[in-house]
């Protein structure tokens, strides 16, 4: 657990020692009970145990459903109001370039009158970057706990933008491979990337309506924070549009690749059919003269055998030339 006490008058932050005492963070809880009217605390938890969060939630008067959501971390992006506490769930997302995988985590943000609580799940840590930004912008910290919500969502939205750019690069490379002359089956690779984009879309798309209410003036928030949330919402909307375009483009690339695979199969069938027709003529002639009849023309003719071979070669050659001119071979 980390805890920082911010003073709204100066925007400065004081880090509080979180020594464990009797299985809980007694020092932090005692300090939270002595906050001044112009101070608020930012408490940061990373994949906490249920007992730890339960104890802290009871002290901060968090709703049991909110605590359950923060512990299990399987929520769609959403916002909920529990009395005077606002709970916002946001998906974190990062792109693994080596495997072209999109990994997701989750951050739960609780805003109370004098505190902000963030609970992180997953390998990506937007909280550290958000804390650094807030330390560099004391004017934002003066706006109270809502500044934490802005800082965290701003970092996560920037990560969305970077991940979308990396997915776009992979998709461009995949398009070049699909439309290259090489005959390589890319169906599994395209489908795998499309599955990652769907996971990307599931993180970004539901967050757009969640942040939209924050772009309007609210009675319980300083009006100075509204332009900052509008900037975050604008970046998120652009990323959402980009992800939708990537999803549609991947569907088109998959359709084009499947059509190309079908063309390869048609070419193969034409070649097989052409060679079967070519070999049909020698087979037919050999079959006719291989029948066991006593009275057949040319059986006793001296030049019958070479003429039969010549007819086979001529018929096969004419068919081969015709198929070559028509592009079948």
């Amino acid at each position: 657990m980390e805890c920082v006490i911010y003073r709204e008058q100066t925007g400065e932050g004081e880090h509080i020692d979180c020594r464990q005492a009797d299985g809980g963070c007694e020092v932090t809880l005692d300090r939270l009970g002595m906050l001044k009217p112009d101070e608020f605390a930012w408490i940061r938890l990373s994949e906490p145990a249920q007992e730890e969060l339960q104890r802290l939630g009871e002290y901060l008067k968090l709703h049991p459903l909110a605590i359950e959501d923060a512990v299990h971390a399987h929520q769609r992006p959403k916002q909920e109001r529990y009395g005077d506490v606002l709970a916002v769930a946001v998906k974190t997302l990062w792109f693994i370039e080596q495997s072209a995988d999109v990994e997701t985590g989750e951050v739960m943000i609780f805003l109370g009158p004098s505190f902000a609580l963030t609970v992180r799940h997953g390998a990506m840590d937007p909280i550290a970057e958000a804390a650094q930004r807030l330390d560099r912008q004391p004017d934002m910290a003066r706006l109270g706990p809502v500044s934490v919500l802005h800082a965290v969502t701003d970092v996560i939205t920037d990560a969305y933008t970077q991940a979308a750019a990396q997915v776009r690069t992979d998709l461009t490379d995949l398009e070049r491979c699909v439309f290259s002359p090489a005959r390589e089956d890319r169906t599994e690779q395209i489908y795998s990337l499309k599955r990652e984009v769907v996971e990307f879309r599931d993180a970004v798309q539901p967050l757009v309506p969640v942040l939209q209410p924050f772009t309007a003036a609210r009675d319980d928030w300083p009006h100075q924070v509204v332009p900052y949330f509008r900037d975050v919402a604008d970046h998120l909307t652009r990323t959402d549009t980009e992800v939708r375009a990537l999803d549609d483009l991947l569907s088109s690339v998959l359709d084009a690749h499947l059509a190309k695979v079908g063309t390869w199969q048609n070419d193969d069938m034409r070649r097989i059919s052409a060679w079967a027709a070519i070999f049909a003529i020698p087979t037919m002639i050999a079959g006719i003269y291989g029948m066991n009849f006593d009275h057949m023309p040319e059986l006793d003719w001296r030049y019958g055998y070479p003429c039969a071979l010549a007819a086979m070669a001529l018929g096969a050659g004419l068919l081969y030339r015709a198929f070559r001119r028509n592009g079948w071979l």
Side-chain angles (χ1 to χ4, degrees), residues 90-91 93 156-164 200 203-204 207 236 239:
V90 185
K91 288 286 187 182
L93 186 144
I156 292 175
T157 301
D158 289 345
Y160 288 168
T161 303
Q162 295 174 4
F200 197 162
V204 176
L207 187 58
L236 183 63
T239 303

Side-chain angles (χ1 to χ4, degrees), residues 13-170:
E14 174 191 355
H15 289 260
I16 303 301
D17 187 13
C18 289
R19 296 188 303 271
Q20 296 293 325
D22 298 330
C25 202
E26 299 287 356
V27 176
T28 300
L29 295 182
D30 291 342
R31 182 66 179 85
L32 292 178
M34 297 184 293
L35 289 177
K36 298 178 181 179
D38 64 339
E39 294 179 338
F40 75 92
W42 181 3
I43 309 161
R44 309 165 190 166
L45 299 177
S46 176
E47 300 184 354
Q50 184 168 358
E51 295 77 11
E52 180 184 9
L53 189 56
Q54 185 77 30
R55 187 170 183 279
L56 183 61
E58 291 175 357
Y59 187 86
L60 298 176
K61 297 180 174 58
L62 300 181
H63 196 279
L65 291 177
I67 297 175
E68 181 181 350
D69 290 345
V71 170
H72 296 292
H74 294 297
Q75 306 299 316
R76 280 171 54 90
K78 65 175 184 177
Q79 62 162 310
E80 297 282 351
R81 172 69 69 173
Y82 300 99
D84 58 356
V85 176
L86 175 67
V88 180
V90 185
K91 288 286 187 182
T92 57
L93 186 144
W94 63 98
F95 185 80
I96 302 177
E97 191 170 355
Q98 292 80 1
S99 58
D101 290 336
V102 173
E103 299 292 337
T104 59
E106 185 175 315
V107 174
M108 283 290 296
I109 308 166
F110 299 93
L111 300 182
S114 60
F115 72 88
L117 169 64
T118 54
V119 182
R120 176 182 67 87
H121 293 268
M124 180 182 178
D125 185 9
I127 307 302
E129 175 63 23
Q132 293 177 8
R133 293 188 184 186
L134 209 56
D135 290 340
R136 293 194 300 264
Q137 298 175 324
D139 291 342
M140 283 296 300
R142 294 192 184 102
L143 301 179
V146 68
S147 61
V148 174
L149 177 62
H150 168 265
V152 174
T153 54
D154 191 28
V155 171
I156 292 175
T157 301
D158 289 345
Y160 288 168
T161 303
Q162 295 174 4
Q166 292 173 306
V167 173
R168 168 71 73 173
T169 300
D170 275 21

Side-chain angles (χ1 to χ4, degrees), residues 3 23 56 67 106 112-113 135 166 195 248 264-265 279 290-291 312 319 327:
C3 183
L56 183 61
I67 297 175
E106 185 175 315
D135 290 340
Q166 292 173 306
R195 183 178 56 196
D248 293 340
W264 296 340
Q265 293 174 344
F279 284 106
M291 293 185 294
M312 293 179 186
L319 281 179

